[in-house]
């Protein structure tokens, strides 16, 4: 047994002969106040005398906190009903953490719980009451199971259905009914995942879509005012299916009628889904129905065509025939709820309505504010908004049942994303969203806008170690991560189960790494898990060490580099069960190296502007040219130019990665007009279609060191006169090692790693033992998102 040494140590201490030991830096002192359900607004804010509201605690700390003496608001256990945004604003309210008290559950509820005893069976509602005049529209077969609730009598807001959809200005959605934390279904036809398509209805009249009235499509370069756009006519459909013909006349007022009779027909029915393409949703209101016609109001964004018809008739009480469906009658202030609950009973269920239509928190012009450990449940708007915020943190939140985005960092202007005038702003710097669960979202996960593209100033926002799922339920192009601006990061996240994309990149120097992307783009076509496009200057966006698994197969890809997208860096990713891994579309300097493809139909495919006979102007020319000029055309920084100082900064910043960037050009005449036809002295075929510095030529693209397991080859275009991406990049698709199955290459799909002793990659050209070691060191599928090395 070793001797004890306490006596000499004590003696030395008493004698003062031991050297001084370094001491750890003391944590900064904190000012702490408390909030509780039992609190009072005139309280002192101590643990024993807490405040009643978070706002009161915020005000008590105002002006008393700093980086050296931060504040903490501890919120005690309970559900706090929310009716207004908690605004945290300015330097005086900076450096404060709003946190659930350790070990306690705190929920901010934007939902109104509906009292079970105030539900009635429809059969118990007296005949003749005006506010229940719509009851006659309930299908007889379902009526026995339908329950009703008088929302108006309780003063519960019923909201409204707005015109929403891709490239329309986002507006709050209608309140959603939620049962046991699961959003229910607005009464619709057909039920479930079925859709109305061209076998059910055909386009009889197809006015121009709103997209045709934006500046990049009009002859004079002007955009129709938005309010005038909303007044454009909607499509007219002809009914072609017997089942639809038997019911559609109840979906709106008769043709020519001034007002609907609410006892017979719908008063606020909509068509919601895809109209003019298969990748961007929209909605139009059903205005009139009769004969074999459905007439609509509001235009579609894209011209309606039979090919892409895929929608449901929605918010139609006459179709409330399936458990889980509901309908709110807002006609003439009725404000009544009809609900067909699962099992035909409301007993034992917690049923609520999202009655809140704003963010739970808005952090504006603050620094060092943290939201920690809170549950934010139910708003028809956005969950949390940060504007001009610096070094703020969203940590360990659960945000659910939000109709728009869970977290919004910065904001966008009113321009649509497809045109050059689209801008984001007010993103601040170094904000973080970490360790959180974001789910059951009508919109996206984290809108991340930060950094300045003109000067390449970084935003340095980080979104990491989150689980984001069941998003984009009400809108497309609302990803788990919007990566806008410069220098933001999305890593170590588990993103799964959504009908549309997971990441949209509109900017530079982004990092998307070590994420799981599973079961995505399940209800869209011509789309990607990671999407970026229509800009040659979205450079150095790195996609690395990610898993892409079980991706919707209907013409989709894992990584979609659209319309001139350039400078993507895609390395060390595992693509498992995807139709197309990569899509190279006419861009420059996209590099994909060191990736594993398993059960992928095609490693990827390409599309060139050369297709269809080298037509000028190229597709979306106005947008891609204006965006190129906006960053790399020297000028005074107004219009579509950048300052000479910023352009030079761009060239220096990217000189090593893109050594020919100074030579990139838009094919133009000597006096600066964009080429619209091939000439003999200028706008020559060589200048436009062959020179690798022409932005129309897909030069400097790389695909190399691919591991293909049960995977098809790269599919080159067949509509460009024999030209393809390989024509301009002869070494494209080099060092591709193939195996019929994972065992053949000693690869374990469950871990994403190779057996370093037996894999034939050890001796394969372009690979080797060092490559295998590096892959296994950096890529693992453990934890939420592949774990850090």
């Amino acid at each position: 047994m070793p001797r004890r040494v306490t006596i000499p140590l004590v003696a030395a201490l008493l004698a003062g002969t031991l050297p001084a030991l370094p001491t750890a830096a003391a944590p900064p002192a904190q000012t702490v106040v408390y909030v509780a359900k039992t609190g009072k607004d005139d309280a002192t804010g101590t643990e024993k005398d807490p405040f009643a509201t978070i706002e009161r605690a915020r005000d008590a700390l105002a002006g008393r906190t700093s980086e050296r003496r931060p504040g903490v608001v501890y919120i005690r256990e309970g559900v706090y009903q929310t009716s207004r945004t908690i605004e945290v604003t300015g330097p005086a309210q900076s450096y404060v953490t709003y946190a659930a008290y350790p070990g306690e559950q705190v929920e901010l509820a934007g939902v109104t719980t509906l009292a079970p005893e105030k539900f009635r069976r429809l059969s118990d509602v007296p005949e003749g009451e005006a506010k229940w005049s719509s009851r006659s529209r309930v299908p007889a077969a379902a009526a026995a199971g339908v329950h009703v609730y008088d929302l108006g009598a309780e003063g519960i807001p019923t909201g409204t259905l707005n015109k929403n959809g891709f490239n329309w200005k986002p507006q709050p959605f209608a309140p959603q009914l939620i049962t046991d934390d699961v959003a229910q279904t607005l009464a619709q036809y057909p039920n479930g995942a079925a859709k109305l398509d061209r076998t059910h209805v055909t386009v009889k009249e197809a006015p121009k879509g709103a997209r045709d009235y934006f500046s990049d499509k009009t002859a004079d370069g002007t955009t129709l005012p938005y309010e005038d756009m909303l007044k454009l006519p909607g499509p007219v459909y002809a009914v072609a299916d017997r089942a639809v013909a038997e019911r559609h006349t109840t979906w709106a007022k008769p043709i020519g009628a001034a007002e609907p009779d609410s006892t017979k027909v719908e008063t606020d029915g909509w068509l919601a889904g895809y109209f003019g393409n298969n990748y961007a949703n929209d909605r139009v209101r059903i205005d009139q129905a009769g004969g074999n016609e459905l007439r609509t109001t509001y235009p579609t964004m894209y011209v309606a065509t039979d090919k892409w018809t895929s929608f449901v008739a929605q918010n139609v009480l006459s179709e409330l025939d399936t458990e889980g469906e509901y309908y709110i009658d807002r006609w003439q202030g009725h404000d009544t709820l009809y609900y067909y609950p699962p099992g035909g009973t409301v007993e034992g269920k917690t049923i609520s309505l999202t009655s809140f239509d704003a963010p739970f928190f808005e952090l504006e012009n603050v620094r060092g504010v943290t939201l920690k450990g809170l549950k934010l449940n139910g708003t028809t708007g956005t969950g949390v908004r940060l504007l001009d915020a610096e070094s703020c943190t969203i940590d360990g939140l659960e945000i659910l049942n939000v109709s728009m985005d869970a977290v919004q960092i910065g904001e966008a202007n009113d321009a649509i994303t497809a045109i050059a005038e689209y801008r984001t702003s007010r993103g601040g710097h170094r904000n973080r969203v970490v360790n959180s669960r974001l789910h059951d979202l009508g919109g996206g996960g984290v809108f991340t806008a930060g950094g300045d593209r003109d000067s390449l100033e970084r935003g340095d926002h980080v979104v990491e170690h989150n689980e984001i799922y069941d998003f984009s339920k009400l809108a497309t192009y609302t990803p788990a991560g919007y990566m806008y601006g410069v220098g933001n990061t999305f890593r170590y996240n588990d993103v799964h189960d959504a009908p549309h994309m997971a990441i949209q990149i509109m900017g530079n120097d982004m990092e998307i790494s070590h994420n799981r992307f599973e079961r995505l783009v399940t209800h869209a076509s011509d789309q990607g898990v990671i999407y970026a496009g229509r800009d040659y200057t979205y450079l150095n966006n790195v996609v690395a060490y990610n898993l892409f698994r079980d991706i919707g197969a209907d013409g989709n890809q894992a990584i979609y580099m659209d319309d001139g997208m350039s400078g993507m860096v895609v390395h060390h990713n595992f693509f498992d069960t995807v139709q197309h891994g990569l899509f190279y579309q006419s861009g420059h300097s996209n590099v994909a190296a060191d990736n594993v493809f398993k059960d992928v139909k095609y490693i990827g495919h390409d599309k060139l502007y050369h297709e269809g006979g080298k037509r000028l102007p190229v597709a979306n020319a106005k947008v891609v040219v204006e965006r190129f000029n906006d960053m790399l055309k020297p000028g005074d920084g107004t219009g579509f130019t950048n300052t000479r100082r910023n352009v030079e900064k761009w060239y220096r910043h990217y000189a090593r990665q893109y050594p020919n960037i100074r030579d990139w050009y838009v094919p133009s005449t000597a006096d600066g007009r964009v080429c619209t036809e091939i000439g003999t002295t200028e706008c020559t075929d060589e200048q436009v279609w062959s020179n690798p510095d022409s932005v129309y030529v897909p030069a400097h693209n790389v695909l190399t060191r691919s591991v293909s397991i049960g995977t098809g080859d790269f599919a080159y275009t067949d509509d460009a006169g024999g030209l393809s991406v390989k024509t301009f990049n002869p070494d494209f698709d080099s060092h591709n090692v193939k195996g019929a199955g994972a065992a053949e290459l000693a690869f374990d799909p469950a871990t994403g790693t190779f057996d370093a002793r037996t894999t034939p990659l050890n001796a394969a050209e372009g690979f080797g033992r060092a490559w295998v070691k590096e892959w296994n060191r950096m890529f693992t599928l453990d934890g939420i998102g592949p774990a850090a090395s």
Side-chain angles (χ1 to χ4, degrees), residues 12 37 44 67 102 113 132 158 234 246 391 440 446 539 568 600 602 639 752:
K37 294 286 290 181
T44 59
E67 186 173 12
T113 300
W132 301 103
T158 58
E246 291 173 350
S391 303
D440 289 278
V446 185
L539 301 176
M568 288 277 280
V600 176
Y602 301 107

Side-chain angles (χ1 to χ4, degrees), residues 349-405:
K349 298 177 174 65
T350 301
I351 304 172
S352 56
L353 194 70
T354 52
S355 53
F356 187 46
D357 64 356
F360 290 94
F361 285 89
E362 182 165 285
L363 313 183
E364 183 173 9
N365 193 30
V366 292
R367 182 182 293 269
V369 171
T370 296
L371 307 180
K372 186 175 178 65
L374 306 172
K375 180 178 181 179
L376 310 182
N377 184 7
T379 174
T380 60
T382 296
V384 178
R385 180 182 295 139
L386 288 75
L387 299 173
D388 296 317
E390 302 285 331
S391 303
C392 293
T393 302
I394 308 299
D395 184 2
L397 266 59
E398 180 181 10
I399 303 178
L400 70 160
N401 296 321
V402 169
S403 293
M404 298 177 80
D405 299 328

Side-chain angles (χ1 to χ4, degrees), residues 593-646:
D594 309 303
N595 297 290
V596 173
F597 302 85
K598 173 184 167 293
D599 296 328
V600 176
K601 186 173 182 180
Y602 301 107
I603 283 181
H605 63 116
D606 65 337
K607 183 177 177 66
L608 279 64
Y609 283 136
H610 302 68
E611 287 185 333
K614 298 181 178 179
R615 290 184 297 235
L616 289 175
V618 301
N620 299 300
K622 188 172 188 294
V623 174
V624 296
V625 169
E626 286 177 346
R627 287 182 172 175
F628 182 86
N629 291 340
D630 206 31
M631 296 298 117
L632 292 178
K633 182 178 181 180
D636 62 3
T638 62
F640 295 109
T641 69
N642 205 348
T643 65
R644 294 183 181 278
R645 179 178 180 181
N646 281 342

Side-chain angles (χ1 to χ4, degrees), residues 154 424 498 623 669 677:
E154 300 293 310
T424 58
V623 174
T669 62
E677 60 182 359

Side-chain angles (χ1 to χ4, degrees), residues 173 176-178 181-186 188 195 272-274 281 283 312 314 400-405 438-445 469-480 482 496-501 522-523:
F173 285 84
Q176 286 188 289
L177 192 72
I178 300 165
D181 271 353
V182 176
Q184 303 298 280
T185 302
L186 198 57
Q188 66 178 43
K195 300 289 185 289
Y274 297 107
N281 74 338
R283 54 192 297 117
V312 297
Q314 191 180 70
L400 70 160
N401 296 321
V402 169
S403 293
M404 298 177 80
D405 299 328
L438 315 176
H439 63 97
D440 289 278
L441 309 171
Y469 60 98
D470 287 341
F471 55 94
S472 293
K473 295 172 73 172
L474 297 175
T476 54
Y477 288 85
T478 53
Y482 304 75
H496 60 92
D497 295 288
H500 213 254
M501 66 168 69
T522 56
H523 292 82

Side-chain angles (χ1 to χ4, degrees), residues 242-277:
R242 177 178 296 179
V244 177
E246 291 173 350
R247 65 206 320 138
H248 81 284
T249 54
T250 67
W251 293 353
K253 64 189 179 187
I255 293 175
E259 292 287 340
D261 178 350
S262 68
T263 67
K264 297 178 180 178
V265 298
E266 298 300 325
T267 58
D268 195 18
W270 294 70
L271 300 178
Y274 297 107
F275 295 83
N277 57 50

